[in-house]
Amino acid sequence: MALADVNKQINNCRKCRLRQGAKQAVPGEGPANAKVMLVGQNPGAEEDKTGKPFIGRAGKFLNKVLAKNGIRREEVFVTNIVKHLSPENRKPLPDEIAACAPYLEEQIKTVKPKIVVLMGKVAWQAPRVEGVTYVETYHPSAAMRFTKMRKRFEEDFNDLQKRL
Ligand code: URA
């Protein structure tokens, strides 16, 4: 399936309750042939307003860590396991994750990245596609706040750069 078709499906999705409280879906963005895909939890308020993933505080931190490791944000595909904002930014519920995960699976199958980085516990539940390497790290919001997690997060991105 072409990425544009996956996006269309995501934008039209009404499979769970999250659509009602969101302004729009945030399908994700990046090159259709990206070697790396970064997966977060779900869009926050800033992302809901603009339709773009990781542009708020966590996104700015993520950009810094990428740059520090010689990875350009424009060369990676950035998305989330759940494509809509949640009420009060709560964690997505299991049925919401189950409804949305097939879109991520389709994105992985379409982009065929070498490495998928799952950021945070919710993202760790992402569907696994054969032939793709998965890295589990912390969510940038947690890495931003806690020193230990930040160290691990930065190490994981340093390793990533070496693997490319
Ligand atoms: N947090 C996420 O998990 N994803 C975003 O897109 C923004 C913040």
Side-chain angles (χ1 to χ4, degrees), residues 40-44 47 53-54 58 80 139:
Q41 182 181 299
N42 67 304
E47 291 80 16
F54 279 104
N80 290 291
H139 191 278

Side-chain angles (χ1 to χ4, degrees), residues 34-149:
K35 285 204 179 75
V36 177
M37 186 179 284
L38 307 182
V39 181
Q41 182 181 299
N42 67 304
E46 297 281 316
E47 291 80 16
D48 182 57
K49 251 187 252 163
T50 57
K52 292 175 181 297
F54 279 104
I55 55 155
R57 282 190 66 210
K60 297 212 168 81
F61 172 75
L62 176 64
N63 291 349
K64 250 196 254 170
V65 175
L66 288 173
K68 215 170 157 180
N69 289 292
I71 304 167
R72 287 184 305 119
R73 160 98 183 215
E74 308 80 66
E75 75 187 86
V76 299
F77 195 95
V78 184
T79 187
N80 290 291
I81 186 166
V82 167
K83 315 299 193 196
H84 281 108
L85 174 81
S86 52
E88 272 99 53
N89 228 355
R90 66 155 168 76
K91 278 204 169 137
L93 302 174
D95 67 317
E96 294 160 353
I97 296 169
C100 213
Y103 296 126
L104 177 61
E105 185 170 352
E106 204 53 52
Q107 287 173 315
I108 299 170
K109 285 182 175 164
T110 302
V111 175
K112 298 193 188 79
K114 192 170 162 199
I115 303 174
V116 174
V117 184
L118 304 175
M119 305 186 296
K121 268 198 180 155
V122 175
W124 296 355
Q125 300 170 51
R128 301 309 200 250
V129 173
E130 228 188 281
V132 177
T133 301
Y134 288 80
V135 175
E136 293 182 351
T137 191
Y138 295 115
H139 191 278
S141 302
M144 236 163 61
R145 286 205 294 268
F146 305 104
T147 313
K148 257 196 176 165
M149 291 189 184

